[in-house]
Amino acid sequence: MFALRLSIDQVWGRLGIEQSRPFLRLDVKKPSLRLEIEHPVLKVKPGRVELKIDSRECRADLQMYEPEEFARVYAARAKRRVLEHIADTASQGDRLAAIESGERDAIAAIAWENSFDPELSVELVPAHLPKIEFRVISGEREFEEGRVLVQLEKGEVRGRLEAGVVRGYLRRAPELHIRAVGSLLDTFA
């Protein structure tokens, strides 16, 4: 009998994989908000008081006058004094002329009378109070409202997907190795 031995070796095949990952691309346009603002306005005209003080009588008591009144009062006073002085001078002349008729002390009497000012008066407080008038003028307020205008531009999201790819391929083919080993002699017979 003839016997043959076979040796069988197997080499496994190998698979390879190529892959690309998926990628999601997002294009984002952000929303925008625009505001137009008109501010409120408050206009205020404050109230006030008009004050009128008439101190002419009070000042006249202290012999303080307005320019026109000053000129009129002092012109009248000067005229009166001039007339009084003329009268006094004439009177003194008559008295001095009386020396001849027997009056002896006329010069001493005239000197004594002229040494004093009979019109001297001192006033510190005026006799009249100032006249005070006032008028209240109320203020005004005006309010203009403000506004806010809103403009919204919507945002947008655009997506683009690049799909992933998986591709399989054979990296190494499977192999089967068969060999005949052994002797050609029949040792069992």
Side-chain angles (χ1 to χ4, degrees):
M1 176 159 215
F2 179 65
L4 182 65
R5 278 183 27 191
L6 294 175
S7 171
I8 301 174
D9 289 327
Q10 180 179 1
V11 177
W12 295 98
R14 288 185 135 180
L15 293 176
I17 295 176
E18 282 183 4
Q19 66 180 3
S20 65
R21 296 185 174 195
F23 183 71
L24 178 61
R25 178 176 305 236
L26 297 176
D27 293 327
V28 178
K29 180 183 171 189
K30 294 183 179 179
S32 86
L33 182 66
R34 253 188 11 217
L35 299 176
E36 290 182 21
I37 300 172
E38 291 180 12
H39 296 285
V41 176
L42 176 62
K43 295 179 184 175
V44 177
K45 200 176 194 181
R48 58 193 166 108
V49 176
E50 282 187 357
L51 185 63
K52 186 177 180 184
I53 300 174
D54 185 6
S55 61
R56 286 182 289 186
E57 290 180 359
C58 176
R59 292 169 54 143
D61 291 343
L62 298 174
Q63 299 180 359
M64 299 168 63
Y65 302 102
E66 297 290 323
E68 288 180 21
E69 184 72 13
F70 178 85
R72 189 179 57 76
V73 168
Y74 278 92
R77 187 180 294 174
K79 184 178 179 182
R80 181 175 41 88
R81 284 198 178 174
V82 165
L83 292 175
E84 288 174 0
H85 188 65
I86 291 172
D88 283 347
T89 305
S91 165
Q92 289 173 8
D94 291 342
R95 287 174 69 189
L96 288 175
I99 291 178
E100 294 178 4
S101 63
E103 185 178 349
R104 297 175 158 211
D105 295 331
I107 295 176
I110 291 172
W112 176 258
E113 290 169 6
N114 287 337
S115 65
F116 297 107
D117 187 5
E119 291 187 24
L120 181 64
S121 66
V122 177
E123 292 183 19
L124 298 176
V125 177
H128 297 90
L129 293 176
K131 293 178 183 174
I132 299 174
E133 297 176 4
F134 66 92
R135 182 174 66 136
V136 176
I137 300 172
S138 61
E140 298 175 5
R141 283 175 266 166
E142 184 180 329
F143 180 71
E144 297 175 8
E145 291 186 358
R147 291 189 307 157
V148 177
L149 300 173
V150 179
Q151 292 181 346
L152 173 65
E153 293 180 11
K154 294 181 180 178
E156 188 177 348
V157 178
R158 290 185 182 159
R160 192 172 73 205
L161 178 64
E162 294 175 5
V165 176
V166 177
R167 186 175 67 84
Y169 64 94
L170 188 60
R171 262 176 101 179
R172 185 174 180 185
E175 296 177 3
L176 191 59
H177 298 276
I178 301 172
R179 290 182 307 195
V181 281
S183 64
L184 297 171
L185 297 173
D186 187 6
T187 55
F188 293 113

